[in-house]
Amino acid sequence: MSDKKIKSALISVFYKDGLDDIVKLLAKLNVKIYSTGGTYDFIEGLGIKAEKVEDLTSYPSILGGRVKTLHPLVFGGILGRRDNEKDIEQMKEYGIPEIDMVIVDLYPFEETVKNNAEHQAIIEKIDIGGISLIRAAAKNYKDVLIVSNKDQYPKILDLLKSKGGSTSEEDRKLFAAEAFMTSSGYDTHIFNYFNGEAGIVAFRESIDSVYPLRYGENPHQKGVFFGNPDELFDKLHGKELSYNNLLDVDAAVSLIDEFEETTVVIIKHNNACGVASRDDITEAWKSALACDPVSAFGGVIITNAKINEEAAEEIDKLFFEIIIAPEYAEGALTTLERKKNRIILRRKESPKSNVMFRSLLDGVLWQERDRSSEQIFDMSPVTPKVPNNSQVEDLVFANIIVKHSKSNAIVLAKDKQLCASGIGQTSRVDALKQAIAKAQSFGFELEGAVMASDAYFPFPDCVEIAHKAGIKAVVQPGGSVRDNESIEYCTNNGIAMVFTGVRHFKH
């Protein structure tokens, strides 16, 4: 099929950056241009002749600009089928000009919502004419080329130059597909805004930002990240993030955000293998690394404090993939940049979505993010012996970590330092035994340590095993029909136990 020459174009855009080169080329190609409002003024300002849409339709822009292009003379020119005799006859009868190209974009609805604008200002950014033009031109891609996004300007400019103002049906179909991507995404953002209050049970998400990945979880799997890490981090050094890096970074950010004290977290395969809170960043790092220096190798490090030169020198002794901090001293950066591929990220202030979803069984699971983070006043003693102040701090600390550990999970902690965790086990007893064995293998003295569990103990076996290892205080949700057996064991053996009433399964 031969290419089609563009003879006329309708241009009506919000963003005009980069449009001038396209308009100049269209004029050079003797393309008749129709335009509206500010776009018309922009084109005339370039010294290029254009016809106002209101002169074509004999209707001015009305209702405060809400109605400009919604007219049969416009949409007939776009939707008219060039190979349909009846369409051609009607277009001649009603004086409808053919429109071969439409360049249009949409009011910035999503950006207006992000800027916390007032409701009415947001409503006014719901585009009507633009979205209608996009859909019409895309539907009639056999005859019309649609440019629906300013990001397409360089591509369309190259296309018009290379083909002398002509396009193939293949070209037009590709741009039509991108146009429907634009329109569907736009409507999704509008729906989600309204549904914030309406509460309609429906799943709609639209993310246009694409972060390319070399591969997925494994080299034989394709992968891509739909999102924009640049909105969350400044990448100061190193290679690009991988699929597995992104999973670990998400786990790291979620955990570190629970802490207010200076804290260092080391993540490996989405779980914490080192966590410590200290007054000093260097001491926090040393204590976090001591939790499990073997697993820390090749891990992801994150802190909520500025990394100074002293801390950087200590951290640099370990091979790791990524380090994340809110700020770095200049000398610290120089030290950390010694390894060419080491990824150094600086966090930006950014809100985190309150919802999360994952695909499975050809469907999507949706849920609210687990925002519950139990503090001292959320912990109810259920034994005569109550935890002392130091133990309470450790219980809060351990409970935060277990919340972010793969179930079944047990966390042992002492002096605001992770001693060890048992994670991803099919039995809570196995998780506890794993944690105890790991802590002992790295020389931790568990006498006086505390234990946190992500869910209740169905039997008293866990508190018995923990007691024999030296655990003196326990935090768990409670809720088992046999809670009294665990409570009785703790009572008889001088162990303090508190219930939170909140389970933290993580799968």
Side-chain angles (χ1 to χ4, degrees), residues 47-270:
I48 295 169
K49 186 69 176 173
E51 180 176 339
K52 291 183 178 180
V53 167
E54 46 261 55
D55 292 339
L56 171 65
T57 63
S58 299
Y59 269 89
S61 173
I62 60 174
L63 305 181
R66 284 187 166 197
V67 179
K68 288 183 282 192
T69 57
L70 295 169
H71 194 281
L73 287 174
V74 174
F75 281 84
I78 296 169
L79 287 165
R81 290 162 290 189
R82 313 312 197 249
D83 58 356
N84 185 296
E85 290 185 13
K86 186 167 277 189
D87 283 9
I88 294 170
E89 288 176 9
Q90 287 187 329
M91 291 175 75
K92 287 180 179 178
E93 179 182 356
Y94 295 107
I96 299 173
E98 292 182 357
I99 297 175
D100 304 319
M101 179 181 188
V102 175
I103 303 177
V104 63
D105 59 13
L106 301 170
Y107 292 155
F109 178 86
E110 186 182 6
E111 292 84 347
T112 306
V113 172
K114 286 181 178 179
N115 290 334
N116 298 312
E118 293 182 354
H119 176 69
Q120 192 54 43
I122 291 171
I123 295 303
E124 291 305 319
K125 286 297 183 285
I126 297 177
D127 205 308
I128 303 300
I131 202 81
S132 301
L133 290 169
I134 286 173
R135 291 178 63 84
K139 178 177 180 176
N140 200 25
Y141 71 87
K142 285 189 175 182
D143 298 304
V144 181
L145 175 67
I146 173 63
V147 181
S148 58
N149 190 301
K150 66 181 186 299
D151 295 335
Q152 296 173 320
Y153 289 176
K155 183 165 63 173
I156 196 63
L157 187 63
D158 289 342
L159 178 64
L160 295 177
K161 284 180 177 178
S162 65
K163 293 192 173 183
S166 296
T167 60
S168 67
E169 184 173 323
E170 184 180 4
D171 295 329
R172 296 189 296 275
K173 190 173 183 180
L174 174 60
F175 276 88
E178 293 181 351
F180 285 121
M181 180 183 74
T182 297
S183 65
S184 64
Y186 194 75
D187 283 340
T188 294
H189 292 304
I190 295 171
F191 166 75
N192 285 334
Y193 172 73
F194 277 88
N195 203 35
E197 294 182 4
I200 299 169
V201 181
F203 180 76
R204 298 286 188 278
E205 285 295 331
S206 178
I207 304 172
D208 291 336
S209 299
V210 176
Y211 186 84
L213 303 173
R214 283 183 298 154
Y215 50 80
E217 200 162 6
N218 299 292
H220 62 276
Q221 295 170 271
K222 291 181 180 179
V224 66
F225 176 59
F226 292 100
N228 187 3
D230 292 339
E231 293 182 353
L232 307 175
F233 310 99
D234 290 318
K235 187 163 79 70
L236 306 179
H237 182 76
K239 60 184 180 181
E240 294 303 315
L241 291 162
S242 70
Y243 183 102
N244 293 321
N245 288 157
L246 289 166
L247 289 172
D248 282 340
V249 167
D250 180 69
V253 167
S254 296
L255 179 51
I256 198 66
D257 283 349
E258 300 269 12
F259 295 99
E260 294 184 1
E261 291 182 80
T262 296
T263 301
V264 171
V265 170
I266 306 171
I267 294 288
K268 193 71 171 288
H269 293 293
N270 309 155

Side-chain angles (χ1 to χ4, degrees), residues 9 65 110 130 180 238 277 324 395 416 441 463 495 501:
E110 186 182 6
F180 285 121
S277 296
I324 309 167
L395 288 171
K416 290 187 279 189
S441 72
V463 290
I495 300 173

